[in-house]
Amino acid sequence: EELGYFSAVRRAHHGERQFMQAPEWRATTKDGKIYIHMFHWSVNFYLPMQKSAIKSVYLLQDTTRTPLEVVQHRDYVAIKIPETARDPIATVLCIEPQP
């Protein structure tokens, strides 16, 4: 649910139901990192991922790369982020996975 849903009406180019991403955030990857583009700000961000798979998390706009707190839960992690967004349109979290 956090990631989105498959549309009952829209079809992808190959005929399967199209996946509709959740409007609060998007994820991209590059150079072995995961970038979470946050459009809706929240003090806690929940991600369906195992903590052991994460090396570090920081805000991309933070040049010092200060690590954010990651709290493990049963089947997801909660990432504690600052009270205010760094960008009015999209603040980006950078997740560096364990090698």
Side-chain angles (χ1 to χ4, degrees):
E1 279 181 16
E2 298 113 56
L3 301 177
Y5 62 94
F6 286 96
S7 173
V9 180
R10 290 186 166 182
R11 301 287 177 182
H13 67 279
H14 42 76
E16 294 180 6
R17 295 184 333 171
Q18 184 175 359
F19 184 76
M20 307 300 290
Q21 287 187 319
E24 291 83 16
W25 59 276
R26 301 281 186 277
T28 59
T29 60
K30 184 177 180 183
D31 299 329
K33 296 178 183 174
I34 302 167
Y35 298 95
I36 305 292
H37 306 262
M38 300 179 68
F39 305 113
H40 174 65
W41 199 248
S42 173
V43 196
N44 286 308
F45 178 70
Y46 303 98
L47 190 63
M49 182 180 215
Q50 295 181 4
K51 184 179 180 181
S52 61
I54 297 175
K55 178 180 173 184
S56 69
V57 180
Y58 56 89
L59 294 172
L60 188 61
Q61 294 92 333
D62 181 2
T63 57
T64 64
R65 294 187 177 179
T66 304
L68 300 176
E69 183 180 348
V70 177
V71 179
Q72 177 69 53
H73 294 278
R74 184 171 179 220
D75 54 353
Y76 65 93
V77 294
I79 301 169
K80 295 192 177 197
I81 55 180
E83 293 284 329
T84 56
R86 297 290 171 107
D87 186 281
I89 297 172
T91 298
V92 181
L93 292 177
C94 180
I95 300 173
E96 293 186 2
Q98 289 286 356

